[in-house]
Amino acid sequence: MDVPLPHLDRPFDYLVPDTLDADARPGVRVKVRFAGQLVDGWLLERVAESAHPKLAYLEKVVSPVPVLAPEVAELARAVADRYAGSLADVLRLAVPPRHARVEKDVTATDPADAGATPPTAADPTPVDPRGWRDYPAGPAFLRALTAGRAPRAVWSALPGEDWADRYADAVAATVAGGRGAVVVVADARDLDRLDAALTAVLGPGRHACLSAAAGPARRYRAFLAARRGDVPVVIGTRAAMFAPVERLGLVAVWDDGDDLHAEPRAPYPHARDVLLTRAQLAGVAALVGGYARTAEAQLLVETGWAREVVADRATVRARMPAIAPTGDDPHLARDPGAASARLPSLAWTTARDALRADLPVLVQVPRRGYLPSVACADCRAPARCPHCAGPLGLPSAEGAPACRWCGRVAAAYACPDCGGRRLRASVTGARRTAEELGRAFPGVPVRTSGREEVLATVPAGAGLVIATPGAEPVAEGGYGAVLLLDSWALLTRADLRAGEEALRRWLAAAALARPGSAGGRVVVVADGALAPVQALLRWDSAWFATRELAERRELGFPPAVRMASVTGVADAVADLLAGAALPDGAEVLGPVPADEGRERMLVRVPRARAAALAGALHAAAGQRSARKAADPVRLQIDPLSLF
């Protein structure tokens, strides 16, 4: 039943009346009477007998279309168990809301066609490995997909690699072998690139795009096309991770370190883990790719669950741009202010030389806006809102300071410490950076790409592109220079994944530069001795992931261990943990303050006891919901943020 109460997370038996016998098939949406109310539910299975002597009747079949495939139902149960959640919560993520008009249009010809098996492919046709030849194991990976085997790969993409074309090759090889594929990307821009690449390789109408941003009607139409077997391939954002595909042969995720892959709704599954669980249950191939490698992907390699697909060092050196930091000794000797300057002389001359060569320049700035954080110009105390104590920022050069929390304007701001009224920048945003560089390089076109407007591409020729991480457009022919500014904003975050995330964002931007032999240069404003910077300089994310995983093993952090976060008011958290039969070896950490007056406790166990931990927490949550405990508790397994 579609009831998000942990103690009701189990199947219930109902009688099927003769009038609904034909339509009541496994996978359809139904309505049943429960506790005096009419509630939604899913018909999971038809059986001849029940162990319960007295049963109520099924009230209604909402639609005769079996939208819940048996394989997806099995996966949803496994995901719910993995994340200490309820099946009903997972099914809300797996199956989009019904759109009656679209359903009527799609099934008008023959409703029984829903879930039909697509035609079997002819003899497998080998796929030209093309760009996969740059990776020694790449052609063998494609041959295994075409032959119907289940290879599992962790792919580290080369600089300048068109990852969408490589994924299209892998999907085409899978389809040539008579099987289907599911590919998940982080955002709409990546989805558009992959959509174009697959259309070029497979032809139009051979794949469906699943994305919550597409709107209810388009999303449900694409979902039904996949469920009916009209298309062998489904691509999309995390909404596609449960997509029903007949004869599934490959699941793939691009850039698994992007936080957009983490579902913000209960039970908070991660697209990478859902797809890997799916690969394990169905015995199909898996592909985890990116310019950077996460510690989770490295764990797959080190445990032997997957093999790495990487290029040799000679190929990497030939394809990568020339990368230099600004904080090493030679540059400090020439420019003593480089250690504190936002745009040291090396970065400035690199941009100037690229513009003189009529090449575009990309500038990555971690913060959007104009001046998102300001401080007193006299005593340097952070400027705070007098009403809510939120941080003040400047929206524009002419604008008055305003609170970023409550939105109130503080035009007459006076520092409570020294009485000063002048403000200075603490953090510089993308729009202010564009303004400053526009003055430094007069006559050069300046474009910004960020939250307000994300550019997909920019033309060749001299120009400045100021972008926030993840919004960097592709330049025709590649960028002549890439400047990575304000590295401290990424590296000094109080986050377990700060170094990993900084490297991921840097590599994604640096990958858009031309090779060093063609004049491509990258400047990172950071100390070259730092581990993430070293990995960038050598373009060796595997080395950094190995180091990161080893450190997490030593410190006892995910993915080396399984960790659960329990958040709520203090009494509710204590109540849940007191009723949880935690497995042997469980370590309870905390409490620490959380938002809105709540607190947070962490529970850490070895990976071998992960299932026991999730089961214990789910059972304890069920006990609280059964006795109608007032205060809710949020359960998360391996959350992205632990601090």
Side-chain angles (χ1 to χ4, degrees), residues 31 77 505 553 615 627:
K31 285 187 178 294
R77 181 70 268 173
R505 293 181 175 187
R553 280 198 181 101
R627 64 174 188 264

Side-chain angles (χ1 to χ4, degrees), residues 340 371-383 392-394 401 413 420-428 432:
S340 58
L371 293 179
S373 180
V374 292
C376 174
D378 298 326
C379 69
R380 306 298 175 92
L392 294 182
L394 278 176
Y413 174 79
R421 293 184 175 275
R422 295 181 303 120
L423 295 173
R424 68 183 301 274
S426 295
V427 176
T428 304
R432 175 60 180 262

